[in-house]
Amino acid sequence: MDKTNAIISVKELVKKYDDFTAVKGISFEVYENEIFGLLGPNGAGKTTTLEIIETLREKTSGEIIVDGYSVDKDANKIKRIIGVQLQAAGYYPNLNLVELMELFSGLYGVDIKPMEMLEKVNLQDKARAKYKALSGGQKQRFSIATTLINSPKIIFLDEPTTGLDPQARRNLWDLIIDIRNNGTTVVITTHYMDEAEQLCDRVAFVERGEIIALDTPDNLIDNLINSGFERTKEVKKANLEDVFINLTGKEWREDN
Amino acid sequence: MSKPYNNTKATLALAKASFRSIMRSPSAVVFTLAFPLIFILVFGFLGRGGVKVDLAIAPGSDLQNPIVKALEQISVVHIIKDKDPAELKTGLEKGNIDAVINVQKNIQDAPAYLANVQYTSASIDKGTILKSVLNNLMYTLNSKDIKPSIAQLNESTVQGRVYRTIDFILPGQLGFSLLSTGVFGTAFVFFSLRQTLVIKRFFATPVSRASIVFGEGIARIGFALCGAVFIILIGHFFFHFTLIHGIITVLNMLLLAIIGLIVFMGFGFVVSGIAKSESTIPPISNIITLPQFLLSGTFFSIDAFPSWLQPISRALPLTYLNDAMRKVAFEGAGLWDVKHQILIMIIWGIGVYAVAVKVFKWE
Ligand SMILES: Nc1ncnc2c1ncn2[C@@H]1O[C@H](COP(=O)(O)OP(=O)(O)OP(=O)(O)O)[C@@H](O)[C@H]1O
Ligand SMILES: [Mg+2]
């Protein structure tokens, strides 16, 4: 991985909602073909930051370049090369998944085979179902499928695994790693630290609109250990999640 | 990526999606088709015979006489026999029976018969019709054998096109169907797409705002035109709705429908912008549609309204759509002949869209 090649660069980004400053001058870079994690407590400003990069919200100040395009001048060019999964989004009512896929292929101006897209997230059996009739996990998977329609250079996933069962979560990790291995850069937010540790090449910790740490998970952990930190409780060789996975199997489940 | 982005493709994809969605939404189908069709069926059947005067023959009346025979031949008069006095009384009071006639042989020599007619204040207008029918009849019967001393009146009627109730009702219903689809449909769809964050997801794609508006507009116009064709065909083939120049007339009506619908959709955009919640959409839409439903000549000619109401009626866009539709369908007018009506609709359109641009919200 060529670590010097930044595909996203954020400089001194500030976002104010009226008199409340949600993002307070953060700067970071996302490298090409990495999985970059934005971590932090509720209300830290992760979604705000992502949606400004996605050109969905206006920034108050700062500079953002995505693959050479500025969000101020070339929003439409940026939209063509990114895939976006929103933390909260809806899909056109009364349409089934195949029809929704057709709609998005028109909106992105690309030709795709809806079934192939659905197969990528293992939703081919739900092709004729309405979005409303999907379970939470299936909805997340469908959202991710819609981000892949335009074969984007970068995809943004805002809490894609929230609400998923352990298998679905792991299968989604495999999918995300697959997407990255196909040359796509991934920016992801999550509240699961195990997930960030497994998945992300680098993570940024955001708190109250500021980045308080940014490094690889390994380095961050090592730094903590070097500072003399020790877990209070001895870790066993397995945890409850391992038990869950072991008991229920690792495959996609029909009802997840 | 090398290909330039295709706005037309995006617009059409949206139009297709929206059309599918509308076809599957029960409320859209009910408003556009079911309501107008119900009214058309009701008025279509009601209006078949034209005006009828219900004339009952009193019990005990002589039946074998030239007066009753002649009355039976008159198409306007509907003779009712075999009612007892109590039924006649209530019938008259309620106006179900417009008059009662009692014909008796005269005991004296001349005239040969005496006819007593009892009218009812519950049905004055039909009573008046009957009065002139009877006068005419009596004159003819009495003067049968007499040469007129001053002048003989010869009456004849020019055989014109039959103007049926359906010819008035159908354009009105069509206009109202377009108004409700335009206003309610547009208001609901944009409000709910915004509220359910569908539009937000759209904005994460390269689609332009214009494509979203046009795509939705095309779908709604397409749907409403399907409805219009359906209504016109039902009216024409089942109730003899007059289409003077056949298919040309239908095409002219559809063009008028498009103009009307575009104006009405403008109201829909305004409503979607000012509504604070989904439940405020129907009342706000009703403020726009109900007055037009009642005052724009949907059911009655606006000439029948009191004179202080008429200026209001003549200010509403639906009045002009209805008027133009009737002229085109029944009188065979071309679009150029109804340019005045079209012009007023366009002026409304400009006004409404000026407001819509100000109040419409994307998020
Ligand atoms: N549209 C808005 N108007 C006003 N304030 C907002 C708006 N959106 C977000 N905020 C505020 O900005 C702050 C950051 O919100 P944001 O959604 O970016 O947090 P987040 O890090 O994504 O949190 P979570 O983990 O809960 O998703 C919060 O305090 C929130 O209340
Ligand atoms: Mg968030």
Side-chain angles (χ1 to χ4, degrees):
Chain A
M1 188 188 315
D2 179 10
K3 292 219 166 191
T4 56
N5 194 0
I7 195 164
I8 300 174
S9 106
V10 176
K11 287 196 190 107
E12 295 298 321
L13 174 66
V14 174
K15 172 68 184 179
K16 289 186 178 152
Y17 294 111
D18 300 320
D19 50 359
F20 171 72
T21 311
V23 178
K24 299 169 182 158
I26 63 174
S27 303
F28 63 92
E29 289 187 333
V30 177
Y31 301 142
E32 202 165 343
N33 208 15
E34 74 173 338
I35 301 181
F36 184 88
L38 274 179
L39 312 178
N42 291 138
K46 304 181 296 295
T47 299
T48 303
T49 305
L50 281 193
E51 292 190 354
I52 292 171
I53 301 173
E54 292 157 0
T55 74
L56 294 177
R57 293 193 203 195
E58 297 287 326
K59 59 183 164 50
T60 307
S61 68
E63 195 193 339
I64 296 174
I65 305 290
V66 179
D67 197 36
Y69 299 120
S70 144
V71 290
D72 304 308
K73 290 179 227 127
D74 291 317
N76 255 345
K77 288 190 178 138
I78 294 176
K79 285 176 183 180
R80 294 189 62 185
I81 56 156
I82 63 172
V84 173
Q85 190 228 0
L86 299 165
Q87 189 173 1
Y91 292 91
Y92 212 98
N94 299 326
L95 299 185
N96 65 38
L97 301 191
V98 168
E99 292 164 343
L100 283 173
M101 281 292 169
E102 285 171 6
L103 168 59
F104 275 102
S105 86
L107 295 180
Y108 280 109
V110 294
D111 290 313
I112 48 129
K113 297 209 170 63
M115 277 314 266
E116 282 177 11
M117 301 306 296
L118 293 175
E119 275 162 22
K120 286 189 187 183
V121 293
N122 205 33
L123 278 175
Q124 61 278 22
D125 296 340
K126 292 283 177 183
R128 301 284 155 197
K130 306 271 159 69
Y131 177 77
K132 261 194 198 161
L134 299 181
S135 77
Q138 290 166 341
K139 283 181 178 159
Q140 296 282 43
R141 272 145 59 189
F142 179 74
S143 289
I144 293 176
T146 68
T147 69
L148 301 176
I149 287 174
N150 55 337
S151 321
K153 286 192 173 176
I154 312 166
I155 62 170
F156 295 88
L157 306 174
D158 200 348
E159 299 192 23
T161 58
T162 297
L164 299 196
D165 68 37
Q167 277 98 348
R169 209 156 68 95
R170 271 147 210 262
N171 286 308
L172 214 51
W173 297 352
D174 292 345
L175 177 65
I176 291 168
I177 290 169
D178 253 15
I179 293 168
R180 194 271 299 276
N181 290 345
N182 286 331
T184 308
T185 307
V186 180
V187 181
I188 186 170
T189 77
T190 179
H191 290 295
Y192 304 112
M193 292 307 122
D194 60 330
E195 181 166 299
E197 190 180 335
Q198 288 263 341
L199 218 51
C200 296
D201 299 303
R202 295 188 310 139
V203 297
F205 279 92
V206 188
E207 195 185 24
R208 295 204 187 119
E210 290 175 286
I211 292 187
I212 50 174
L214 195 167
D215 212 330
T216 64
D218 262 355
N219 287 347
L220 290 166
I221 295 168
D222 287 346
N223 290 347
L224 182 66
I225 294 171
N226 292 342
S227 72
F229 175 88
E230 254 180 66
R231 279 203 176 169
T232 48
K233 190 174 148 198
E234 197 54 42
V235 185
K236 293 184 188 165
K237 286 210 167 112
N239 63 16
L240 193 58
E241 181 156 337
D242 298 320
V243 176
F244 187 106
I245 299 287
N246 216 282
L247 286 174
T248 56
K250 197 176 173 292
E251 298 310 303
W252 286 109
R253 284 155 24 130
E254 286 311 311
D255 53 345
N256 56 22
Chain B
M1 195 50 220
S2 47
K3 275 191 305 182
Y5 181 70
N6 189 338
N7 280 305
T8 316
K9 196 172 164 183
T11 309
L12 292 180
L14 245 162
K16 189 173 168 191
S18 172
F19 189 79
R20 279 174 165 159
S21 184
I22 298 173
M23 291 296 283
R24 290 174 197 165
S25 127
S27 64
V29 176
V30 166
F31 268 113
T32 312
L33 285 182
F35 280 178
L37 277 181
I38 288 170
F39 280 118
I40 285 168
L41 291 183
V42 168
F43 283 95
F45 283 120
L46 275 186
R48 275 201 162 158
V51 186
K52 284 270 183 215
V53 178
D54 292 309
L55 175 65
I57 308 231
S61 164
D62 185 288
L63 294 175
Q64 302 304 318
N65 59 68
I67 302 169
V68 171
K69 289 235 170 67
L71 281 172
E72 280 172 340
Q73 300 305 311
I74 295 174
S75 63
V76 179
V77 180
H78 175 225
I79 301 278
I80 302 169
K81 291 177 185 170
D82 303 324
K83 293 267 180 202
D84 61 47
E87 284 175 312
L88 287 183
K89 187 167 178 291
T90 51
L92 279 175
E93 278 166 5
K94 290 184 183 160
N96 294 340
I97 295 174
D98 300 309
V100 174
I101 190 165
N102 190 343
V103 184
Q104 296 297 340
K105 271 212 165 78
N106 198 352
I107 330 163
Q108 285 153 13
D109 269 356
Y113 293 94
L114 293 174
N116 292 313
V117 184
Q118 195 179 8
Y119 296 100
T120 166
S121 61
S123 178
I124 288 179
D125 47 346
K126 290 203 179 162
T128 317
I129 296 175
L130 184 65
K131 224 174 254 173
S132 69
V133 166
L134 286 174
N135 276 338
N136 221 335
L137 179 67
M138 289 307 161
Y139 175 79
T140 324
L141 288 177
N142 290 333
S143 59
K144 227 193 317 203
D145 306 322
I146 309 168
K147 282 243 166 80
S149 57
I150 299 176
Q152 181 171 342
L153 177 67
N154 287 322
E155 290 173 311
S156 65
T157 309
V158 175
Q159 199 57 43
R161 257 175 241 140
V162 191
Y163 188 69
R164 296 187 176 80
T165 319
I166 189 80
D167 290 318
F168 187 83
I169 285 297
L170 190 140
Q173 288 307 313
L174 188 56
F176 184 65
S177 156
L178 296 169
L179 178 68
S180 43
T181 340
V183 179
F184 279 89
T186 311
F188 266 115
V189 89
F190 277 96
F191 186 86
S192 80
L193 292 185
R194 185 175 86 217
Q195 212 68 16
T196 56
L197 301 179
V198 173
I199 296 226
K200 184 173 181 187
R201 181 64 185 85
F202 284 173
F203 282 165
T205 77
V207 70
S208 69
R209 292 177 178 201
S211 287
I212 298 178
V213 171
F214 280 122
E216 284 295 337
I218 292 170
R220 197 145 297 277
I221 290 173
F223 175 72
L225 289 190
C226 293
V229 169
F230 191 68
I231 289 172
I232 293 172
L233 291 184
I234 295 261
H236 184 66
F237 288 109
F238 289 94
F239 300 106
H240 310 288
F241 176 63
T242 312
L243 293 168
I244 297 242
H245 304 304
I247 188 80
I248 302 286
T249 303
V250 175
L251 290 179
N252 279 340
M253 289 176 79
L254 294 185
L255 279 171
L256 285 174
I258 294 176
I259 298 171
L261 197 61
I262 291 174
V263 176
F264 300 146
M265 282 167 47
F267 287 112
F269 286 118
V270 173
V271 175
S272 87
I274 58 180
K276 293 275 180 290
S277 73
E278 189 134 12
S279 59
T280 57
I281 292 181
I284 301 177
S285 300
N286 278 329
I287 290 174
I288 293 165
T289 56
L290 263 186
Q292 305 204 56
F293 182 56
L294 298 173
L295 300 179
S296 291
T298 306
F299 290 111
F300 322 99
S301 166
I302 58 173
D303 298 326
F305 291 150
S307 51
W308 58 269
L309 253 182
Q310 292 197 16
I312 302 177
S313 293
R314 283 183 218 289
L316 301 172
L318 183 59
T319 304
Y320 294 91
L321 179 63
N322 285 345
D323 200 27
M325 284 279 191
R326 288 180 183 129
K327 283 208 159 67
V328 165
F330 188 73
E331 293 170 25
L335 289 184
W336 185 245
D337 302 318
V338 292
K339 55 185 180 298
H340 172 69
Q341 285 86 343
I342 293 178
L343 184 71
I344 292 184
M345 285 195 276
I346 290 175
I347 292 172
W348 262 101
I350 293 171
V352 168
Y353 277 92
V355 178
V357 167
K358 286 236 151 49
V359 301
F360 189 74
K361 291 197 212 81
W362 283 103
E363 44 202 291

